[in-house]
Amino acid sequence: MSYCRQEGKDRIIFVTKEDHETPSNAELIADDPNDPYEEQGLILPNGDINWNCPCLGGMASGPCGSQFKEAFSCFHYSKEEVKGSECIDYFRNMQECMQRYPELYPQEEDKDSSTQAESDTGSASAAPTEGSALSPETDATPSTSDVSSDSVSPTDSQTAS
Amino acid sequence: MLKCRTVWKKLAPLARASSTLCRQNVRRAGLNNGRIVRAPAAQMSTGPAGGGGENQIYVVLVGAVCLGGAAYAYHTLKGDQKRYEERMAELLSRPHLRGAEKTAVPTESEPPAEEATETEAVPEPEPEAAPSPEEPSSPVPEAEAASSSKTTEPLPALESTPASPKVPSHTPYLLIGGGTASFAAARSIRARDPGAKVLIVTDEPDLPYMRPPLSKELWFSDDPSVTETLRFKQWNGKERSIYFQPPSFYINPEDLDSAENGGVAVLTGKKVIHMDVRGNKVKLDDNTEISYDKCLIATGGVPRNLQAIERAGEEVMKRTTLFRKIEDFKSLEKVSRNIKSITIIGGGFLGSELACALGRRSTDSGLEVIQMYPEKGNMGKVLPEYLSNWTTEKVKKEGVKIISEALVKSVTCKDDKLEIQLKDGRLVKTDHIVAAVGLEPNVDLAKSAGLEVDSDFGGYRVNAELQARSNIWVAGDAACFYDIRLGRRRVEHHDHAVVSGRLAGENMTGASKPYWHQSMFWSDLGPDVGYEAIGIVDSSLPTVGVFAKATAKDTPKAATEKSGTGIRSESETEDTAVSPVASSTPTPAVEQHKDNYGKGVIFYLRDKVVVGIILWNVFNRMPIARKIIKDGEEHADLNEVAKLFNIHED
């Protein structure tokens, strides 16, 4: 049974687990997915990539930002059977660039970022530490189905991913 | 203006009337500056009005008086201008000297020479102007030219020294201030404008870094070299630096212009002292000018100090820390190892966090940690009274001696110890003071830039899109902005700096989005008490708190372990879908809940609408809280709303 107390202007309610078992009848306003004010996820409503998505970390803004954008755009718009197969050159450019900044893009073994992207639904801890640049965004897309809209703006993690 | 008008009104009828009255009034009016214009008119009107010898004497007398008055007024004006020039030269010579001191040793001989030449230039105008009031105009411009040439002379000398970098004369994006908001904006701009060239100018010697660990995680580190590395280990073992990015992320300011794909350059140790909005350019403390297309002001703030301490003199100031930057952390860390007693004045976020951090250390070192504040309990201005009291007890358990309802009257230094006299008569003796009594937003550029400063909240006044004027945005602690949902406010939290910085960056690249995504904040008071909050969380508002009893799983430690990050604003993006685990402990009897606010949700209401929410030891539920505030609805039963948070589960 819930227990209620008033201390001046402040109200205090203690509730047991049973008290909160029945579903809530509080009404929330339905979210508009096309609300221009809202923070967008990785993919914008018109299908473009949101380079400012917090999920990308510093990938699009760092020294290798332009190479990353080229490679990922190519991959995103690719209509080939093996998605991104024609984008190998861009990815190679990106990797070369990243190798020049090992501090920002730590190199791990088996670094094939494009193939890792799709398969890596990865846990949070995997994403920042591995050099795989593309895995983070796969985390972001499921989160848009959440009650509120998507990702809050985080601060940067130590790696650029 | 009014004086001129009254003078003119007086003169007009009198000019037609007798010349005696005219003469008297003219003499009276001679004391005003408006004289210069009026005098000739008076002369002309008295001339033809009268006739004969008498009138001629009057004319001569009046003429002489007019001339004398005109000369006097002119001299005064020129004197004012000269005083102004002197003052400006003096101000310029000061940062000049500081800037010179920062550069390498070989240039040290130059600063005394520079200062000497500048002060010489300044007295020159005075002796020149004194003898001839009739011709002050010619010597003054000469002297001005002389002084300005003298100030420009030392500059090439400074610039030739190897230590000072070459600054680009123009940058498309100029960010003033090198903190969290600035960095977030830089990243946002780079993401949206391909190849953007961004220049950050900061008066600190450090690259952009995050502040929360300075009062939390860095103190808990086991690493003895933490003051050098500034890296901290989170509960789950993951290590990170407080710097947002290592130095290799940035490019050198001198390479900014030529960088093919643009980049972010940070100019450290330089302060922007003047902003010319009409000319779209700023002036640094070493007199270099940088023009911009778009500018962000993210100057943050300066810690406030108590008047009692400021009045107390150098011995007390030497033993006082105003905590904000990396260097403050370093010095306090060092000091805390060598003293017996430390007192923190202030019961808000910073004060309480530092008290807990130092209190933890006190168990090993035997350091006495005292915290004093005017409120009744810790976080007294944020938490409702019952929760504030409960929190205070927890802080005491961390080893802190709390002195509440304490107003500092005076501080003195006696025999190397500080004595704090409180207004109610209590005396506290301590070795060192940390003042955590608020932040004064830095609005130094408001005057030169012609920007509005908010009188209620402080800071630059900006609209909902964070814009102050065309091409100028403000973000972070210094921005007093219009929040569409919650009204005009100014927020001093880390996540707000990130959110507002990002937004400003977006708007600087053409987005025109208002502040909509509500920022959050968090605080940990030891390993057992932690909370996340969003919106307006002011203890003067009526609140409704819904609590359950906490299990071992509901602690900040557990939250960071699960999400893998200590910066809890990131926990939302890092979160994975973890299905809630049913609590295995049986529901305790109601009586035990009476004073145990283990975990719960507290709603802050304004006109029956929820404007703020605290998640008390309940983590990873921020999106729900954000949604409730965004809706801005009146909910009849807040217990039903509380159900949305599943507080009994992990």
Side-chain angles (χ1 to χ4, degrees):
Chain A
M1 293 305 293
S2 64
Y3 160 73
C4 188
R5 182 167 104 220
Q6 188 86 23
E7 275 192 18
K9 58 169 176 64
D10 305 314
R11 198 145 163 258
I12 310 165
I13 306 170
F14 285 103
V15 289
T16 61
K17 195 153 160 275
E18 284 77 38
D19 291 329
H20 269 201
E21 248 166 16
T22 54
S24 171
N25 62 14
E27 283 171 23
L28 296 174
I29 301 173
D31 272 335
D32 174 13
N34 291 325
D35 188 349
Y37 288 1
E38 284 296 339
E39 298 257 308
Q40 304 293 340
L42 179 68
I43 309 297
L44 296 168
N46 65 0
D48 285 341
I49 303 168
N50 177 17
W51 297 115
N52 208 11
C53 178
C55 55
L56 288 176
M59 290 303 300
S61 53
C64 300
S66 41
Q67 286 88 341
F68 170 77
K69 281 185 194 173
E70 276 168 6
F72 193 53
S73 295
C74 172
F75 176 81
H76 177 66
Y77 291 113
S78 165
K79 302 264 183 292
E80 298 293 314
E81 202 168 295
V82 179
K83 198 165 165 70
S85 49
E86 77 276 28
C87 308
I88 292 295
D89 284 334
Y90 292 119
F91 279 102
R92 194 175 298 126
N93 278 344
M94 187 179 83
Q95 262 201 304
E96 276 170 14
C97 177
M98 288 186 182
Q99 276 161 357
R100 278 184 272 139
Y101 300 93
E103 237 190 338
L104 295 173
Y105 309 103
Q107 305 293 314
E108 313 274 337
E109 295 100 44
D110 46 308
K111 234 16 336 56
D112 197 3
S113 34
S114 51
T115 54
Q116 290 260 333
E118 283 293 89
S119 53
D120 214 6
T121 49
S123 64
S125 49
T129 49
E130 287 178 9
S132 171
L134 302 174
S135 54
E137 52 271 7
T138 56
D139 289 335
T141 36
S143 72
T144 51
S145 58
D146 224 342
V147 169
S148 87
S149 53
D150 29 70
S151 33
V152 100
S153 51
T155 55
D156 195 17
S157 54
Q158 77 188 64
T159 64
S161 59
Chain B
M1 283 297 282
L2 291 169
K3 275 186 187 163
C4 292
R5 225 182 259 150
T6 48
V7 165
W8 184 241
K9 279 189 189 147
K10 280 184 186 164
L11 283 177
L14 288 168
R16 293 177 229 118
S18 77
S19 52
T20 338
L21 267 167
C22 181
R23 191 178 4 117
Q24 279 173 353
N25 278 303
V26 156
R27 228 184 254 134
R28 221 182 293 144
L31 297 169
N32 300 335
N33 283 344
R35 212 35 174 49
I36 306 165
V37 180
R38 306 294 162 241
Q43 265 189 306
M44 285 188 337
S45 53
T46 49
E54 244 188 25
N55 233 10
Q56 276 175 358
I57 300 169
Y58 287 140
V59 165
V60 169
L61 274 167
V62 165
V65 171
C66 292
L67 250 158
Y72 170 78
Y74 197 61
H75 179 61
T76 314
L77 273 179
K78 281 296 165 191
D80 282 336
Q81 192 174 27
K82 261 171 268 143
R83 266 200 301 273
Y84 172 74
E85 296 289 340
E86 280 170 49
R87 182 87 183 117
M88 287 312 289
E90 199 226 314
L91 282 172
L92 285 171
S93 72
R94 264 193 257 132
H96 215 140
L97 196 64
R98 269 208 298 276
E101 276 166 12
K102 279 196 183 134
T103 56
V105 171
T107 62
E108 263 174 6
S109 53
E110 286 174 48
E114 286 158 30
E115 206 193 17
T117 53
E118 275 169 61
T119 49
E120 267 175 62
V122 157
E124 267 175 55
E126 283 195 313
E128 285 179 335
S132 49
E134 298 297 285
E135 315 154 6
S137 47
S138 38
V140 167
E142 271 175 29
E144 280 173 23
S147 62
S148 56
S149 66
K150 283 207 159 72
T151 49
T152 47
E153 266 176 27
L155 276 178
L158 246 185
E159 273 166 9
S160 63
T161 59
S164 54
K166 196 156 176 315
V167 176
S169 55
H170 174 83
T171 176
Y173 297 99
L174 176 69
L175 311 186
I176 304 177
T180 308
S182 206
F183 182 78
R187 186 188 272 182
S188 195
I189 292 169
R190 287 276 302 156
R192 288 172 52 88
D193 181 357
K197 295 175 185 164
V198 181
L199 178 67
I200 295 177
V201 180
T202 171
D203 61 0
E204 281 190 65
D206 300 296
L207 294 172
Y209 60 91
M210 55 182 80
R211 253 178 249 290
L214 290 180
S215 60
K216 293 188 269 291
E217 286 90 340
L218 286 182
W219 290 94
F220 306 143
S221 170
D222 301 318
D223 184 358
S225 63
V226 70
T227 48
E228 293 309 314
T229 63
L230 299 172
R231 291 179 77 83
F232 57 99
K233 224 179 206 170
Q234 295 164 229
W235 295 105
N236 61 353
K238 233 169 64 150
E239 218 188 58
R240 68 191 282 176
S241 164
I242 65 167
Y243 291 101
F244 288 114
Q245 291 286 13
S248 48
F249 177 86
Y250 306 99
I251 64 177
N252 285 324
E254 53 259 34
D255 300 330
L256 189 64
D257 270 335
S258 50
E260 199 191 307
N261 290 324
V264 182
V266 183
L267 191 60
T268 52
K270 297 272 182 234
K271 194 173 166 116
V272 175
I273 55 164
H274 181 93
M275 192 161 180
D276 176 3
V277 172
R278 240 187 274 219
N280 282 334
K281 57 182 192 238
V282 299
K283 184 148 70 164
L284 306 182
D285 53 358
D286 61 358
N287 269 323
T288 17
E289 285 191 347
I290 307 175
S291 63
Y292 59 83
D293 294 334
K294 313 258 182 206
C295 181
L296 173 76
I297 299 178
T299 44
V302 164
R304 289 204 177 117
N305 198 352
L306 289 175
Q307 278 204 339
I309 296 177
E310 280 185 334
R311 286 198 301 257
E314 220 211 292
E315 285 301 304
V316 172
M317 283 301 292
K318 247 176 31 188
R319 293 170 175 78
T320 302
T321 301
L322 296 172
F323 196 86
R324 174 112 173 132
K325 307 185 205 168
I326 289 178
E327 58 186 65
D328 303 320
F329 164 72
K330 288 182 176 178
S331 76
L332 185 64
E333 208 274 343
K334 195 162 151 216
V335 161
S336 66
R337 288 183 189 283
N338 302 324
I339 52 171
K340 290 274 171 318
S341 162
I342 189 165
T343 300
I344 295 146
I345 303 182
F349 293 103
L350 184 61
S352 307
E353 285 172 8
L354 281 175
C356 287
L358 288 165
R360 279 270 210 94
R361 283 202 169 188
S362 70
T363 47
D364 310 320
S365 59
L367 171 70
E368 182 196 32
V369 181
I370 304 167
Q371 187 185 7
M372 60 166 68
Y373 44 76
E375 297 86 30
K376 279 202 195 141
N378 284 74
M379 315 303 305
K381 289 195 181 152
V382 174
L383 301 176
E385 201 176 320
Y386 63 92
L387 217 47
S388 166
N389 294 337
W390 192 82
T391 308
T392 310
E393 293 307 309
K394 286 286 175 183
V395 173
K396 282 182 188 166
K397 284 210 183 87
E398 288 294 308
V400 180
K401 195 171 137 198
I402 301 275
I403 302 178
S404 58
E405 295 178 286
L407 285 161
V408 175
K409 187 170 161 193
S410 66
V411 186
T412 45
C413 183
K414 268 190 199 142
D415 309 319
D416 220 24
K417 259 191 118 64
L418 293 176
E419 286 188 3
I420 306 171
Q421 180 75 52
L422 300 178
K423 283 201 176 139
D424 59 6
R426 288 179 283 183
L427 186 72
V428 177
K429 290 199 181 142
T430 190
D431 294 322
H432 197 90
I433 290 177
V434 178
V437 294
L439 189 79
E440 190 63 48
N442 183 338
V443 290
D444 290 346
L445 292 172
K447 191 123 195 259
S448 57
L451 297 175
E452 201 180 353
V453 172
D454 191 270
S455 42
D456 298 318
F457 300 102
Y460 296 97
R461 204 178 262 176
V462 295
N463 61 11
E465 284 84 17
L466 303 183
Q467 199 173 22
R469 286 178 64 171
S470 331
N471 302 332
I472 303 179
W473 287 261
V474 188
D477 291 353
C480 175
F481 66 103
Y482 183 67
D483 184 323
I484 300 175
R485 229 340 138 230
L486 301 176
R488 183 159 285 278
R489 50 204 278 251
R490 188 174 66 82
V491 180
E492 288 173 5
H493 292 297
H494 172 87
D495 191 45
H496 171 75
V498 176
V499 169
S500 62
R502 260 173 58 94
L503 180 66
E506 285 181 327
N507 289 342
M508 285 163 88
T509 47
S512 311
K513 281 166 65 177
Y515 190 93
W516 187 241
H517 177 96
Q518 200 54 243
S519 64
M520 55 84 78
F521 61 95
W522 76 97
S523 189
D524 289 335
L525 299 169
D528 298 324
V529 176
Y531 56 91
E532 296 176 354
I534 186 169
I536 298 180
V537 172
D538 184 336
S539 63
S540 63
L541 294 173
T543 68
V544 174
V546 182
F547 292 91
K549 189 166 184 194
T551 63
K553 296 193 204 100
D554 309 307
T555 56
K557 187 168 170 181
T560 50
E561 275 167 358
K562 221 164 50 116
S563 63
T565 169
I567 302 291
R568 281 223 289 288
S569 48
E570 281 177 42
S571 68
E572 286 179 66
T573 41
E574 309 253 3
D575 195 18
T576 56
V578 172
S579 51
V581 176
S583 173
S584 52
T585 55
T587 328
V590 164
E591 294 82 66
Q592 289 171 350
H593 288 167
K594 270 211 171 118
D595 284 305
N596 190 6
Y597 306 102
K599 58 173 179 168
V601 183
I602 303 123
F603 299 100
Y604 288 71
L605 301 159
R606 196 171 60 186
D607 302 326
K608 298 193 204 155
V609 173
V610 176
V611 293
I613 297 176
I614 289 191
L615 300 174
W616 188 256
N617 267 345
V618 162
F619 304 100
N620 301 321
R621 264 57 145 206
M622 198 41 76
I624 309 163
R626 187 173 284 116
K627 170 73 179 150
I628 293 166
I629 297 206
K630 184 176 87 158
D631 283 353
E633 295 277 288
E634 271 187 38
H635 292 277
D637 185 358
L638 285 169
N639 190 19
E640 292 296 319
V641 181
K643 280 187 186 173
L644 296 169
F645 289 92
N646 281 326
I647 57 177
H648 297 273
E649 290 154 21
D650 282 342

